[in-house]
Amino acid sequence: MSSKFSLSYIAGFASIVFLSLYLLLGFSLINDDDIFAGQAVCGAGPQPPSFFSSDFISLSLKNDVAGKATISGNVNVSKATYDALGLRDHPLKLRLEPLPLKFSSISPFFEEIELGAWSLNFEGAHNNAYAELKPKVISLYGEPSNFPFENYRYGYKPVLYFETAQGTKDLAFKYAFTIVQLSSFFVPSVAQSTEDYMDSSKSSLVTSDDTRTYSPDECAINIKRSFSFQFMVVLLTLFLFFPVIYSLFRTDKQPAVDVIATVVSVAAIRMFLIGPVEEFQFYKIDFVFGLAIVLSATMPLILYIWQGKTAPTNGS
């Protein structure tokens, strides 16, 4: 009797702590607009007085509701550059040259970004021309199976070019910058050097001389989940084990009801946090979800064996 009372006391205290932590998280989300900051700026653009009359590449990295990352933006040139390069007759193209992720591996393939039609503003105050980049879905490099503790990376150098009779001609623009606008569940940070972005290597062939600072036209971004989101995932995952805890104290054992309640909770919470299972992509946290279901089904049977009783039938 005393052991059951002690167990009830511990479970009640743990429930109070759980409720307090969840209310604290909600209070923080409501009163702090920056707790889910998902924005960053990589590179630098021209100063405001001569912003639109300068030559620059402006990129935007975003993610949609489905979690897919998309890159878009625009290219701006002055009238002098537009005429000197003959952009009316030479279609301009943009490629993103990926930055290496490891010292010993080959960089991924280029990302080709299409440009739309030029909008000419030669009669206006800025005397410029600009073209929008067609949005393109890109792949972030990381391990999604480590949800919600996964880390992603994406690094590149934007290069404008056009085709000539002699071959490809790359253009050197002084300004290239990226505005990162991810959802509030992600925290992006700009890596300043290869040491901050690339995987560490134990090879003796890699020395400190191989590390370097990224140039202004290179952009290396590290992305991770915000602590608040990770905290919320942990709390919701712990919530799935409440039916198992209830079974320790209920005198009327109904394992079928507990299993159904747990299955419905797991399906709802997984859909809310991750989404449906697609292409047999499973995450490490799926083991925890499955464990909640297995315990809700087996714990009543284990308790009856431990108490020296026969297993109950459904509803008895």
Side-chain angles (χ1 to χ4, degrees):
M1 185 70 179
S2 60
S3 61
K4 188 172 183 179
F5 175 78
S6 301
L7 186 60
S8 301
Y9 181 82
I10 295 174
F13 180 76
S15 299
I16 295 175
V17 173
F18 179 89
L19 179 60
S20 300
L21 291 175
Y22 195 84
L23 292 176
L24 178 62
L25 175 63
F27 180 79
S28 300
L29 297 180
I30 293 174
N31 292 276
D32 192 348
D33 295 333
D34 293 331
I35 192 170
F36 277 170
Q39 301 182 359
V41 177
C42 185
Q47 297 302 314
S50 59
F51 187 83
F52 289 104
S53 59
S54 303
D55 303 332
F56 63 82
I57 306 171
S58 174
L59 298 176
S60 177
L61 178 62
K62 299 180 180 180
N63 66 319
D64 58 13
V65 178
K68 296 180 180 179
T70 305
I71 196 161
S72 59
N74 62 78
V75 176
N76 186 92
V77 297
S78 64
K79 185 178 186 303
T81 302
Y82 185 87
D83 293 337
L85 297 177
L87 297 181
R88 182 187 301 273
D89 302 320
H90 298 93
L92 202 58
K93 299 180 181 180
L94 175 67
R95 70 174 182 268
L96 302 181
E97 298 181 351
L99 300 178
L101 299 171
K102 299 180 180 179
F103 288 100
S104 57
S105 64
I106 301 175
S107 301
F109 296 106
F110 296 157
E111 296 275 7
E112 293 285 347
I113 311 295
E114 295 184 25
L115 274 73
W118 286 100
S119 297
L120 306 180
N121 188 29
F122 296 150
E123 303 299 330
H126 301 301
N127 202 22
N128 68 321
Y130 66 92
E132 297 288 340
L133 302 177
K134 296 182 179 180
K136 182 175 183 179
V137 176
I138 60 174
S139 298
L140 303 178
Y141 302 100
E143 292 293 338
S145 61
N146 292 331
F147 175 91
F149 304 103
E150 74 272 39
N151 295 312
Y152 297 99
R153 290 176 294 175
Y154 192 72
Y156 54 87
K157 176 181 178 180
V159 179
L160 285 168
Y161 69 97
F162 58 80
E163 303 290 343
T164 65
Q166 292 73 31
T168 301
K169 181 179 180 180
D170 292 346
L171 306 178
F173 272 36
K174 183 179 180 180
Y175 300 105
F177 59 94
T178 301
I179 300 176
V180 184
Q181 295 177 308
L182 302 178
S183 63
S184 55
F185 294 144
F186 291 99
V187 178
S189 61
V190 178
Q192 302 298 330
S193 65
T194 54
E195 187 177 5
D196 301 328
Y197 180 74
M198 299 177 63
D199 292 336
S200 58
S201 176
K202 297 181 180 179
S203 174
S204 59
L205 300 177
V206 179
T207 64
S208 58
D209 296 334
D210 295 314
T211 61
R212 65 178 181 87
T213 301
Y214 289 117
S215 60
D217 59 344
E218 293 177 317
C219 182
I221 304 171
N222 295 316
I223 304 171
K224 63 179 182 180
R225 298 278 183 177
S226 67
F227 173 77
S228 297
F229 180 78
Q230 295 173 345
F231 190 50
M232 181 178 65
V233 171
V234 172
L235 289 180
L236 291 178
T237 304
L238 291 177
F239 171 78
L240 298 175
F241 292 89
F242 272 46
V244 178
I245 298 176
Y246 291 152
S247 66
L248 300 177
F249 305 102
R250 287 211 321 262
T251 56
D252 56 326
K253 304 297 183 182
Q254 296 183 351
V257 176
D258 294 335
V259 173
I260 293 174
T262 305
V263 170
V264 172
S265 299
V266 167
I269 290 178
R270 193 192 190 282
M271 177 68 70
F272 172 70
L273 296 176
I274 303 177
V277 179
E278 296 181 357
E279 299 179 355
F280 300 99
Q281 174 67 43
F282 290 93
Y283 301 81
K284 294 178 181 179
I285 197 174
D286 285 326
F287 172 79
V288 183
F289 293 156
L291 180 63
I293 298 175
V294 171
L295 286 179
S296 66
T298 59
M299 186 57 67
L301 301 176
I302 296 175
L303 288 177
Y304 269 83
I305 294 175
W306 181 61
Q307 295 172 357
K309 300 179 181 180
T310 57
T313 58
N314 186 23
S316 63

